[in-house]
Amino acid sequence: MNVHKISCLTGIFWLTAIVLFGQTIGKGDRITGPNFATRSPILGRHGMVATSHPLATQIALDILKQGGTAVDAAIAANAALGFIEPNNGGIGGDLFAIVWSAKDRKLYGLNASGRSPKGLTYDSLRTILGKRTLLPLYGPLSISVPGAVDGWFQLHQRFGKLPMRNLLAPSIRYAREGVPVPQVIAYSWQIAYKRLATSGNDITEFDNFRKTFLIDGKAPTEGQIFRNPDLAATYEKIVAGGRDAFYKGSLADAIDRYARRTGMFLRKEDLATHQSNWIEPVSTSYRGYDVHELPPNGQGIAVLQMLNILEGFDLKKLGHNSADYLHLLVETKKLAFEDRARYYADPSFARDSINWLLTKEYAARRRKLIDPKKASEHLDAGEPALRAGDTVYLTAADDQGNIVSLIQSNMLEFGSGMVPDGLGFVFHNRGTSFTMQPNHANVYAPGKRPFTTIIPGFVTKNGQPFLSFGVMGGAMQPQGHLQVLCNIIDFGMNVQEAGDAARFSHSGSSEPTGTVMRDGGKLALESGIPSDVRTELEKRGHHLAPTDFFGGYQAIQWDALNRTYWGASEMRKDGQAAGY
């Protein structure tokens, strides 16, 4: 089953909810503000946290009240999400972060993604794959080094304050006691398990998954208590031995033994040599705001490319979610994703710089390719001018003005489906994002970082922080970033409204794995987009899909005038924003 089909399954739930309940039980009315918003923004002067699970938010808020920094709070929340939302994140996956340092008055970027096994060559992998042209979605061949734990310690060493034992203690306690599973996570858990259980023979060992993530042989239902004592013990070993416990110590030994037993190519040496990298965020200006993302191997610069193209249009005049507006954004997305498919990859293996993709001149050339009345079916990546390549997001802010935008992922829900003996976490499947096409920027190589979809976002204005935000969900992430930013900057929505407004999701673009868009892809629209807009988009050649996944948004905005944080957590997740 491909990623698009998986996301469609998630979307079927929302469509069903509308059909069953929307016509008989109407939405209530708010006494102020637009009625599409689910609630008011959360306000706080001393600190703010927004995550996809209320318990993770409360844990992080407690850390702030104990005197912890924004990074301390983010690590505590991420550790909690690895237990209470294990389908989407955990220490078997990767991590990226953008940190605003109030002391330095600047942004820092961290790439804590892992690399492919050094002992698996391209030729060997080609032989193993046989007639397959793509890497399998699950199982041993999809696994690269998990970078999240090293990311925690890199962040903590530079910006943390409280001891790591304080940050992991709540998760250790709850993992042993158990917590009730909320609605959206329970639904996604059930769908993910069914998908993995019917994935064929790619997953070479699945008993550990069943022992760890099922209750009486079934995925948990809403309200059922889930426990993970194995993960609690793993966290205790990380507290006692630091990051080396995971990459060089007893945990690394356990991972190595499991890898050899199950056909994985990951080895202790791969873990021991792993290192996260501090990197400079990249940015573009958009109508007086500076939007910051992280450079590849992630897809963040697609957001910047799209903003550069859209800067040449008066979006407000077109009208929010009008046919003209949505057509323009979808066609802009298609253009940026062609470049994403060709050029985005591990820069350590790149032959040429791709900074030219972010120039205003390049955007002006690409802008001319948009037909305002006709959807494109096939596009090519651009060329330099001188030439004739699932997820949890959270954000936290502290009393000192430090803000962190952090995203962490298993890739697909429950990643590879493989759980090392007695450790309580599942390995991600980010390695499946490589291509086997020779000479492609993202072609598989040993010791290389695969293309990744997870991207934290940050916006500054006049040299100070304005917005820390993210939108979870694979290829939906840059589309979600774009729509949220346009909602705030072009249409004046507040930070909560910007996430609650109806969205589009376009799928079927060319991908870094080597697939090519031939038919224009599929466009999914949430129920809040009117029928006349849908009809007009179809007339322009867009192929409307019945449903899709529209992401999950969390954000913190800094109100410099009143020195107040505004927090937001949208309704598509179980999450919560809270401040004090």
Side-chain angles (χ1 to χ4, degrees):
M1 184 179 291
N2 64 32
V3 177
H4 173 63
K5 288 181 180 176
I6 292 166
S7 63
C8 282
L9 284 174
T10 305
I12 288 171
F13 166 73
W14 298 113
L15 184 64
T16 303
I18 293 167
V19 171
L20 290 179
F21 303 115
Q23 295 177 357
T24 57
I25 303 176
K27 185 178 183 295
D29 295 326
R30 304 188 73 229
I31 63 171
T32 186
N35 204 43
F36 68 81
T38 57
R39 58 154 301 118
S40 310
I42 304 300
L43 305 180
R45 296 189 63 195
H46 298 291
M48 184 68 63
V49 182
T51 83
S52 52
H53 194 297
L55 182 57
T57 297
Q58 294 302 320
I59 287 171
L61 199 63
D62 287 343
I63 293 295
L64 290 179
K65 291 179 179 179
Q66 293 171 26
T69 67
V71 159
D72 287 334
I75 293 170
N78 192 204
L81 290 168
F83 161 55
I84 55 184
E85 195 177 347
N87 50 321
N88 286 325
I91 58 173
D94 287 339
L95 179 154
F96 290 82
I98 299 176
V99 181
W100 171 264
S101 169
K103 177 182 176 182
D104 300 332
R105 305 296 299 169
K106 66 171 291 187
L107 289 171
Y108 293 85
L110 181 69
N111 181 336
S113 64
R115 299 164 178 85
S116 57
K118 294 185 179 67
L120 180 61
T121 65
Y122 174 88
D123 289 339
S124 297
L125 179 57
R126 179 71 276 165
T127 299
I128 294 168
L129 290 175
K131 295 181 179 180
R132 288 191 179 191
T133 58
L134 299 175
L135 273 78
L137 282 177
Y138 319 107
L141 295 180
S142 70
I143 297 171
S144 51
V145 173
V149 172
D150 186 65
W152 287 355
F153 281 86
Q154 291 275 1
L155 288 165
H156 188 258
Q157 181 179 9
R158 195 162 199 169
F159 299 110
K161 181 180 178 182
L162 298 182
M164 190 65 79
R165 64 176 177 274
N166 291 37
L167 309 186
L168 299 192
S171 296
I172 293 169
R173 171 192 163 191
Y174 283 120
R176 287 209 165 92
E177 289 181 358
V179 297
V181 179
Q183 185 177 78
V184 174
I185 292 174
Y187 173 79
S188 299
W189 200 317
Q190 293 159 22
I191 293 297
Y193 170 60
K194 290 177 183 177
R195 171 173 46 81
L196 290 170
T198 57
S199 62
N201 298 321
D202 286 334
I203 302 176
T204 55
E205 191 285 312
F206 201 49
D207 287 342
N208 285 353
F209 180 94
R210 294 188 180 98
K211 287 184 223 174
T212 304
F213 295 112
L214 303 184
I215 301 174
D216 297 328
K218 298 179 181 179
T221 57
E222 182 182 1
Q224 197 167 10
I225 305 302
F226 172 70
R227 299 174 179 85
N228 192 342
D230 285 348
L231 184 63
T234 295
Y235 280 179
E236 286 178 330
K237 290 178 181 178
I238 291 172
V239 168
R243 58 87 63 198
D244 283 356
F246 190 90
Y247 293 97
K248 296 180 180 180
S250 61
L251 297 175
D253 289 332
I255 291 170
D256 188 278
R257 287 193 298 271
Y258 178 75
R260 293 175 189 272
R261 179 168 74 83
T262 58
M264 288 168 52
F265 287 87
L266 193 67
R267 295 291 181 265
K268 186 176 181 180
E269 178 190 357
D270 296 309
L271 297 166
T273 56
H274 171 74
Q275 185 176 5
S276 303
N277 297 104
W278 290 99
I279 55 178
E280 287 291 328
V282 290
S283 66
T284 194
S285 60
Y286 181 73
R287 310 199 201 285
Y289 295 82
D290 293 309
V291 180
H292 306 264
E293 301 277 352
L294 295 182
N297 55 314
Q299 61 177 340
I301 64 171
V303 181
L304 309 182
Q305 286 191 250
M306 290 187 287
L307 290 172
N308 282 343
I309 293 172
L310 291 175
E311 198 172 36
F313 300 93
D314 186 346
L315 301 186
K316 190 172 183 178
K317 185 177 180 181
L318 296 179
H320 186 263
N321 279 354
S322 67
D324 288 340
Y325 174 77
L326 292 172
H327 174 80
L328 178 60
L329 265 64
V330 172
E331 292 303 298
T332 297
K333 178 263 184 182
K334 292 179 185 177
L335 285 168
F337 270 50
E338 289 302 320
D339 291 336
R340 168 184 175 267
R342 179 172 175 182
Y343 297 114
Y344 295 14
D346 185 346
S348 299
F349 286 74
R351 289 171 292 187
D352 301 303
S353 168
I354 58 173
N355 291 338
W356 54 273
L357 290 172
L358 299 182
T359 64
K360 301 291 187 181
E361 293 78 13
Y362 178 67
R365 286 194 282 130
R366 298 294 274 174
R367 192 181 298 131
K368 294 176 182 177
L369 299 177
I370 297 175
D371 185 333
K373 295 299 180 183
K374 190 176 188 312
S376 57
E377 293 191 348
H378 174 76
L379 291 164
D380 293 319
E383 298 285 350
L386 299 180
R387 184 189 287 178
D390 289 302
T391 301
V392 293
Y393 173 82
L394 61 95
T395 177
D398 63 31
D399 198 24
Q400 303 303 309
N402 303 299
I403 309 172
V404 57
S405 177
L406 184 149
I407 198 159
Q408 200 266 310
S409 176
N410 288 333
M411 170 53 166
L412 297 181
E413 285 189 304
F414 287 119
S416 65
M418 299 187 68
V419 176
D421 299 328
L423 299 191
F425 66 86
V426 65
F427 286 112
H428 65 167
N429 60 335
R430 188 61 64 181
T432 194
S433 297
F434 281 118
T435 181
M436 295 301 292
Q437 293 182 4
N439 300 317
H440 191 285
N442 187 47
V443 65
Y444 176 84
K448 182 177 181 178
R449 283 172 161 148
F451 167 80
T452 182
T453 56
I454 56 177
I455 54 174
F458 208 97
V459 181
T460 58
K461 187 175 184 181
N462 300 324
Q464 59 181 338
F466 174 74
L467 184 71
S468 174
F469 77 109
V471 180
M472 299 164 266
M476 179 62 205
Q477 291 185 52
Q479 301 178 69
H481 280 218
L482 182 70
Q483 291 173 78
V484 164
L485 290 171
C486 290
N487 287 347
I488 292 174
I489 297 172
D490 291 288
F491 294 96
M493 296 184 193
N494 69 36
V495 69
Q496 181 67 41
E497 296 162 1
D500 284 339
R503 293 188 194 134
F504 75 84
S505 175
H506 180 268
S507 59
S509 285
S510 300
E511 291 290 338
T513 54
T515 59
V516 177
M517 183 180 75
R518 301 289 186 192
D519 61 356
K522 302 291 185 183
L523 176 61
L525 304 171
E526 288 194 303
S527 61
I529 296 174
S531 59
D532 61 326
V533 171
R534 298 167 184 268
T535 299
E536 177 58 29
L537 289 170
E538 286 185 303
K539 287 180 180 177
R540 298 186 192 190
H542 295 280
H543 307 298
L544 299 193
T547 184
D548 209 328
F549 177 63
F550 297 92
Y553 157 85
Q554 319 287 335
I556 295 174
Q557 183 177 330
W558 171 241
D559 177 356
L561 179 62
N562 296 299
R563 304 197 61 78
T564 299
Y565 294 118
W566 294 49
S569 179
E570 66 167 47
M571 79 293 193
R572 297 173 187 84
K573 293 281 186 176
D574 296 309
Q576 178 192 37
Y580 77 108

